[in-house]
Amino acid sequence: MRSFSSLLLAGLLAASATTTAAQATAKADSVVIRKIYDEALLRGQSYDNLRYLCQKIGGRLAGSPQAALAVQWGKLTMEKANCFDKVYLQECMVPHWVRGAKEKGQIIGNKGKSITAAVCALGGSVATPGSKPLRAGVVEVKSLAELKALPDDAVRGKFIFFNRPFDDRLIEPGAAYGAAGDQRRSGPAEAGRRGAVGALVRSLTAARDNNPHTGATNYGDTPTKVPGAALSTQAADQLSQLLAADPKLQFELEMSCQQLPDEKSYNVVGEIKGSKYPDQVITVGGHLDSWDLAQGAHDDGTGVVQSIEALRLLKAAGLRPERTVRAVLFMNEENGTRGGEKYAELAKQNHETHLAAIESDGGGFTPRGFNVETTPAVFQKVAAWKPLLAPYLAGQLTPGHAGTDIEPLAASVKPVALFGYDCDSQRYFDLHHSVLDTFEQVNRRELELGGASMASLIYLLGKYGL
Amino acid sequence: MRSFSSLLLAGLLAASATTTAAQATAKADSVVIRKIYDEALLRGQSYDNLRYLCQKIGGRLAGSPQAALAVQWGKLTMEKANCFDKVYLQECMVPHWVRGAKEKGQIIGNKGKSITAAVCALGGSVATPGSKPLRAGVVEVKSLAELKALPDDAVRGKFIFFNRPFDDRLIEPGAAYGAAGDQRRSGPAEAGRRGAVGALVRSLTAARDNNPHTGATNYGDTPTKVPGAALSTQAADQLSQLLAADPKLQFELEMSCQQLPDEKSYNVVGEIKGSKYPDQVITVGGHLDSWDLAQGAHDDGTGVVQSIEALRLLKAAGLRPERTVRAVLFMNEENGTRGGEKYAELAKQNHETHLAAIESDGGGFTPRGFNVETTPAVFQKVAAWKPLLAPYLAGQLTPGHAGTDIEPLAASVKPVALFGYDCDSQRYFDLHHSVLDTFEQVNRRELELGGASMASLIYLLGKYGL
């Protein structure tokens, strides 16, 4: 019989051997991850790819000719990246909404004096009816509930002006966006339901400037669809002030946007077959479509180029993932999520096993880490990778929403974990869905660091599973 | 005699009482800090103050009329902030270097064909001699050591072209700046010492564009001062490529910069007397001077407005610090640190006790936390505040360099700790010392968050000491 102290010693030695092996593994992983970052920072291709997508193709709303071009570009760019075993398209039908040539807003004072108000149609909005501008009085509310509480005759025939601003006290502007977003999404539907002629919605941004921010509005099953427009925050403030002084002022809106028949479009998929577990799939993606007002740089050109780049980085670092990895450029995130749904549907149809999905759709700013949707036990496992990512500013692993395009996967093939690339968020909603979302707003290093952090996560997922 | 278990119980109760008291204190502190941030995010004045400083005064190199205007502006802005017990100036003599009207660089090929190269004089450089451009051959080196190893006849009569780029692999661009900086600081002096006619220095930036970045060069005791110019990174790459093809090409440089006699200038100081320990001073500051090429927005208008704002936020949150707090707008950080030296000299002369000094001079980007220079024991104490700052993105407390303007204090009155405000660093050197450093590059929320994190640190220092 061994003595207690010899047992203790044996235990200590075993523990120390384990520690040493773990340390060696961590060291080996850190060498691999360093290689990935070196490639990204010295020879990264995200920035040049993004320049092309933004400046040569530009805004690419689902169903538009630009979106069709972007599909071709995505396929070619993947093929040129020379790291995929196969590159293919997944067909899906997408909504096709066009802005039209007319888009004008004016505040009309009681002496008929007009002031231009910067507006843009909300995505999916109907046009103003007839051939003349739509003119009506304005009722300002701060919430859907406030509209609900108004008597019918206060609402009928008016524009409902939803003017609840971002709550600037929230440290994450994404939380402020979430809290103000119902005005844009449901404001026009609710206004129509109550007999108003239209909805004017304060732009969903903390910026104080004259750029209106578009974004999807949903009529749902509203029988009466009335036009919905976003006002720049400056125009909203001005309208609010003028209304306070003159509650009888009128607003004149003219928009010629329209919903056309659905169009055929595609997700673009590039796949590297896993060397050891080819049946376990890891997906990484961003959305290829964007709003039409600008170049869709941070939303979501950056996610698109980072997703392609993540796999190129693995190859360039001499790695062949043990699990199958797919870069997916999703179509139609902005106004339908048809691409995300199609990807999830096909995954289920093909009885695929999905280990994890990663989405980058919060801009291409300096990394912070990843939001993770999974069980507490798996989260523990993922959290152990933090020391490997922290030296690259990407060590913040937080339970939280991963992304809109990979959400349908959770319902169909149930990946073990979903990851949302998380980066500095202060500037994102200043640009989001507005003319400002251009290539110039993206910083090369910030962008390339993001692609490398996604590649590093894929490397760890591919090696260790979940 | 009390039993062991009753002793244990008493001990546990005492520990739990302590924990509860500590929790209550932490809770009270978190309420105060929340108040500071609410004020900053809802009614912050940093952004508007910065707009004025950048757009109405602009670049303000020490000794310039703009620097004199900035002193007046600083004093007025502090007085209007209505939170200081006194606002005063500290006189100091500063170097006065002017760029002059002529600044031109050309690459001259062997057939006399010339290509314009974007250049700017390095701060402190002498002009090119005579009334004609200075033309000479070019020798490219990657380091001062490489120049040292060259034989005299390879150097004499030539331009020495220092072309070591930023090491892009470094995650912190500040580290790359540090590693490449000797070329700018000492390149012209070393070139002159070896008989070269001038020095061309690759701009200290990771950006790949056509904007030269200026910055101080020091001749030290070099007997022969030769002109030193920065080349944009694009111009440097082009010159290097052309040199490889044609080692005999020439460069033509014309600069009319000059060093004028020292000028009288000032630090601007605003002070709130401590309610309980008026003799213990906490300093918070940024530098009021900037380079002349742009508006000195991130370098260091942001630090200036944040330092004033930090104290306004304390007042607005209803706080009177127990220690004396001073906001200091230092003069001449860029090319002499005379203001920082004067502040330290006067502190010593007046036998002041300095608890801590905080500097913001790394741009006005999204907060990360603070670099701390202190003893391990004090660092421990400071690190305990991390949970109070982390919800505001400012919880990263790291041993590291605090700042150039407060460095002289360490030698004179030895504060217990120095703090450098630390924020996202990826974009800083893209703008630094170039025409791009303008107000438009600053984001309102990022800036205001910084002032609030400085105010929160001052609150904790003022309440708990060190």
Side-chain angles (χ1 to χ4, degrees):
Chain A
M1 187 186 137
R2 290 156 76 191
S3 71
F4 177 76
S5 65
S6 77
L7 272 175
L8 187 69
L9 186 64
L12 283 173
L13 284 173
S16 130
T18 313
T19 309
T20 312
Q23 279 168 347
T25 309
K27 173 89 176 117
D29 286 338
S30 76
V31 169
V32 169
I33 290 174
R34 181 69 257 183
K35 255 189 175 171
I36 290 172
Y37 277 90
D38 285 355
E39 176 67 21
L41 291 167
L42 294 174
R43 291 171 294 276
Q45 298 184 0
S46 294
Y47 195 61
D48 284 341
N49 284 340
L50 184 67
R51 181 189 284 117
Y52 193 98
L53 178 62
C54 288
Q55 297 183 339
K56 301 287 180 185
I57 299 177
R60 46 198 178 278
L61 191 57
S64 69
Q66 292 84 355
L69 267 177
V71 167
Q72 285 180 35
W73 167 89
K75 188 161 178 286
L76 263 171
T77 304
M78 281 190 180
E79 286 163 355
K80 280 197 293 187
N82 205 22
C83 64
F84 296 98
D85 297 323
K86 58 175 176 177
V87 176
Y88 57 99
L89 304 180
Q90 287 180 333
E91 188 181 314
C92 58
M93 295 304 289
V94 297
H96 187 198
W97 177 85
V98 290
R99 184 168 298 281
K102 286 188 203 160
E103 203 162 63
K104 197 174 171 191
Q106 289 196 95
I107 303 169
I108 316 284
N110 58 6
K111 284 167 193 150
K113 203 189 143 199
S114 73
I115 300 168
T116 298
V119 297
C120 71
L122 293 177
S125 174
V126 295
T128 46
S131 60
K132 281 211 258 174
L134 175 63
R135 191 192 277 211
V138 179
V139 178
E140 178 176 347
V141 296
K142 289 288 164 59
S143 65
L144 296 170
E146 200 179 317
L147 168 60
K148 203 167 186 177
L150 286 176
D152 281 351
D153 59 355
V155 173
R156 202 172 301 118
K158 298 278 173 51
F159 281 109
I160 307 300
F161 169 32
F162 295 93
N163 193 29
R164 182 164 86 261
F166 262 32
D167 185 347
D168 249 340
R169 295 169 302 177
L170 297 170
I171 303 303
E172 292 299 333
Y177 178 71
D182 59 351
Q183 302 176 100
R184 189 197 76 202
R185 286 193 308 273
S186 309
E190 292 305 318
R193 206 166 270 144
R194 292 296 308 283
V197 298
L200 306 170
V201 183
R202 182 187 183 90
S203 284
L204 296 180
T205 180
R208 299 161 184 175
D209 63 22
N210 211 22
N211 303 307
H213 294 233
T214 191
T217 196
N218 304 310
Y219 292 110
D221 55 0
T222 320
T224 318
K225 296 181 179 181
V226 299
L231 267 69
S232 73
T233 53
Q234 279 179 2
D237 287 341
Q238 190 177 26
L239 178 57
S240 181
Q241 281 159 22
L242 293 172
L243 261 181
D246 173 13
K248 291 199 187 309
L249 68 69
Q250 295 200 301
F251 196 89
E252 201 173 271
L253 183 68
E254 190 171 19
M255 304 195 309
S256 57
C257 42
Q258 57 179 319
Q259 195 75 41
L260 301 175
D262 283 7
E263 278 280 341
K264 194 189 284 181
S265 189
Y266 306 90
N267 295 326
V268 185
V269 185
E271 184 175 296
I272 302 178
K273 212 68 184 163
S275 62
K276 205 163 165 184
Y277 310 104
D279 293 340
Q280 293 187 24
V281 180
I282 299 166
T283 297
V284 58
H287 65 84
L288 192 51
D289 62 308
S290 80
W291 284 105
D292 55 336
L293 292 177
Q295 300 173 351
H298 280 288
D299 188 15
D300 181 26
T302 53
V304 161
V305 298
Q306 286 170 332
S307 297
I308 301 172
E309 179 73 356
L311 299 212
R312 193 195 68 80
L313 291 174
L314 294 179
K315 172 86 178 273
L319 300 166
R320 169 137 206 130
E322 297 187 7
R323 269 94 182 164
T324 290
V325 189
R326 285 196 203 130
V328 183
L329 318 185
F330 294 99
M331 181 48 67
N332 182 224
E333 189 273 349
E334 292 295 2
N335 58 341
T337 329
R338 301 273 185 90
E341 281 161 11
K342 177 58 74 177
Y343 183 72
E345 180 193 320
L346 291 174
K348 183 157 195 175
Q349 198 172 299
N350 298 327
H351 307 288
E352 291 176 357
T353 303
H354 282 245
L355 181 74
I358 307 167
E359 181 162 342
S360 168
D361 186 20
F365 300 96
T366 300
R368 298 197 292 203
F370 295 91
N371 296 326
V372 193
E373 287 182 45
T374 190
T375 62
V378 173
F379 183 79
Q380 283 271 56
K381 178 160 188 178
V382 168
W385 297 334
K386 190 180 158 140
L388 290 165
L389 299 171
Y392 304 97
L393 313 172
Q396 202 169 292
L397 301 166
T398 321
H401 180 67
T404 303
D405 285 307
I406 57 177
E407 218 169 75
L409 272 184
S412 74
V413 292
K414 303 184 177 52
V416 181
L418 302 181
F419 297 85
Y421 172 62
D422 180 32
C423 62
D424 183 32
S425 62
Q426 295 302 320
R427 294 177 179 221
Y428 185 63
F429 289 99
D430 290 7
L431 319 169
H432 185 249
H433 298 185
S434 84
V435 291
L436 297 178
D437 187 12
T438 60
F439 178 70
E440 288 70 26
Q441 301 294 331
V442 179
N443 175 275
R444 178 177 60 84
R445 286 180 57 87
E446 294 177 4
L447 177 69
E448 303 288 0
L449 283 170
S453 49
M454 289 155 66
S456 302
L457 178 62
I458 295 167
Y459 160 70
L460 293 166
L461 287 166
K463 181 171 173 189
Y464 296 109
L466 282 175
Chain B
M1 189 184 137
R2 288 156 78 190
S3 70
F4 177 76
S5 64
S6 77
L7 271 176
L8 188 69
L9 186 65
L12 284 172
L13 284 172
S16 130
T18 312
T19 308
T20 314
Q23 279 168 348
T25 309
K27 172 90 178 116
D29 286 338
S30 76
V31 169
V32 169
I33 290 173
R34 181 70 257 183
K35 256 189 174 170
I36 290 171
Y37 277 89
D38 285 354
E39 176 67 21
L41 290 168
L42 294 175
R43 293 171 292 277
Q45 298 185 359
S46 293
Y47 194 62
D48 284 341
N49 283 339
L50 184 68
R51 181 188 284 117
Y52 193 98
L53 178 61
C54 288
Q55 296 184 341
K56 302 287 181 188
I57 298 176
R60 46 197 178 278
L61 190 57
S64 69
Q66 292 85 352
L69 268 178
V71 167
Q72 285 180 34
W73 167 88
K75 188 161 178 287
L76 264 172
T77 304
M78 281 190 179
E79 285 162 356
K80 281 197 293 187
N82 204 23
C83 63
F84 295 99
D85 297 324
K86 58 176 176 175
V87 176
Y88 56 98
L89 304 181
Q90 287 181 332
E91 188 181 313
C92 59
M93 295 303 289
V94 296
H96 187 197
W97 178 85
V98 290
R99 185 168 298 280
K102 286 187 203 160
E103 202 161 63
K104 198 174 169 188
Q106 289 195 95
I107 304 168
I108 316 283
N110 58 6
K111 284 169 192 149
K113 203 190 144 200
S114 74
I115 300 168
T116 298
V119 296
C120 71
L122 292 178
S125 174
V126 296
T128 46
S131 59
K132 282 211 254 171
L134 175 63
R135 191 192 276 212
V138 180
V139 177
E140 178 175 346
V141 296
K142 289 285 165 61
S143 65
L144 296 170
E146 201 180 316
L147 167 61
K148 202 167 188 178
L150 286 176
D152 281 351
D153 59 357
V155 174
R156 202 173 300 119
K158 297 277 172 49
F159 281 109
I160 307 301
F161 170 31
F162 295 92
N163 194 29
R164 182 164 85 261
F166 262 31
D167 185 347
D168 249 338
R169 295 168 302 178
L170 297 169
I171 303 304
E172 293 299 332
Y177 179 71
D182 59 351
Q183 301 177 100
R184 188 197 76 202
R185 288 193 308 273
S186 309
E190 292 305 317
R193 206 167 271 142
R194 292 296 307 284
V197 298
L200 306 171
V201 184
R202 183 187 183 90
S203 284
L204 297 179
T205 180
R208 297 161 185 176
D209 62 21
N210 209 22
N211 302 307
H213 295 233
T214 190
T217 195
N218 305 310
Y219 292 111
D221 56 0
T222 320
T224 318
K225 296 181 181 181
V226 300
L231 267 68
S232 72
T233 52
Q234 278 179 3
D237 287 341
Q238 189 176 29
L239 178 56
S240 181
Q241 280 159 21
L242 292 172
L243 261 181
D246 173 14
K248 290 198 186 314
L249 69 70
Q250 294 200 302
F251 197 90
E252 201 173 270
L253 183 69
E254 190 171 19
M255 304 197 308
S256 58
C257 43
Q258 57 179 318
Q259 195 76 42
L260 302 175
D262 283 5
E263 278 280 341
K264 193 190 285 182
S265 190
Y266 306 91
N267 294 328
V268 186
V269 185
E271 184 175 295
I272 302 178
K273 211 70 185 163
S275 61
K276 204 162 166 185
Y277 311 104
D279 293 341
Q280 292 186 25
V281 181
I282 299 165
T283 297
V284 59
H287 65 84
L288 193 49
D289 63 307
S290 80
W291 283 106
D292 56 335
L293 291 178
Q295 299 174 349
H298 280 287
D299 188 16
D300 181 27
T302 54
V304 161
V305 297
Q306 286 171 331
S307 297
I308 301 172
E309 179 72 357
L311 300 211
R312 192 195 69 80
L313 291 174
L314 294 179
K315 174 85 178 275
L319 301 166
R320 173 140 203 124
E322 297 187 6
R323 270 93 181 165
T324 290
V325 188
R326 284 195 203 132
V328 183
L329 317 186
F330 294 99
M331 181 48 67
N332 184 223
E333 189 272 349
E334 292 295 2
N335 58 341
T337 329
R338 301 272 185 89
E341 282 162 9
K342 178 57 75 175
Y343 183 72
E345 180 193 319
L346 291 174
K348 182 156 195 175
Q349 199 173 298
N350 298 327
H351 307 286
E352 292 175 357
T353 302
H354 282 244
L355 180 73
I358 307 166
E359 181 161 343
S360 168
D361 186 20
F365 299 96
T366 300
R368 297 197 293 203
F370 295 92
N371 296 327
V372 193
E373 287 182 44
T374 191
T375 62
V378 173
F379 182 79
Q380 283 270 54
K381 178 160 188 177
V382 169
W385 296 336
K386 190 179 158 139
L388 289 165
L389 300 171
Y392 304 97
L393 315 173
Q396 200 169 292
L397 301 166
T398 321
H401 180 68
T404 303
D405 285 308
I406 56 177
E407 215 169 76
L409 272 184
S412 74
V413 292
K414 302 181 180 51
V416 182
L418 302 181
F419 297 85
Y421 172 62
D422 180 33
C423 62
D424 183 32
S425 62
Q426 296 303 320
R427 295 181 178 219
Y428 185 62
F429 289 100
D430 289 7
L431 319 170
H432 185 249
H433 297 185
S434 85
V435 292
L436 297 178
D437 188 13
T438 61
F439 178 70
E440 287 72 25
Q441 300 294 330
V442 180
N443 175 275
R444 178 176 61 84
R445 287 181 55 88
E446 295 176 5
L447 178 68
E448 303 288 0
L449 284 170
S453 50
M454 289 156 67
S456 301
L457 178 62
I458 295 168
Y459 160 71
L460 292 167
L461 287 166
K463 181 171 173 188
Y464 296 108
L466 282 175

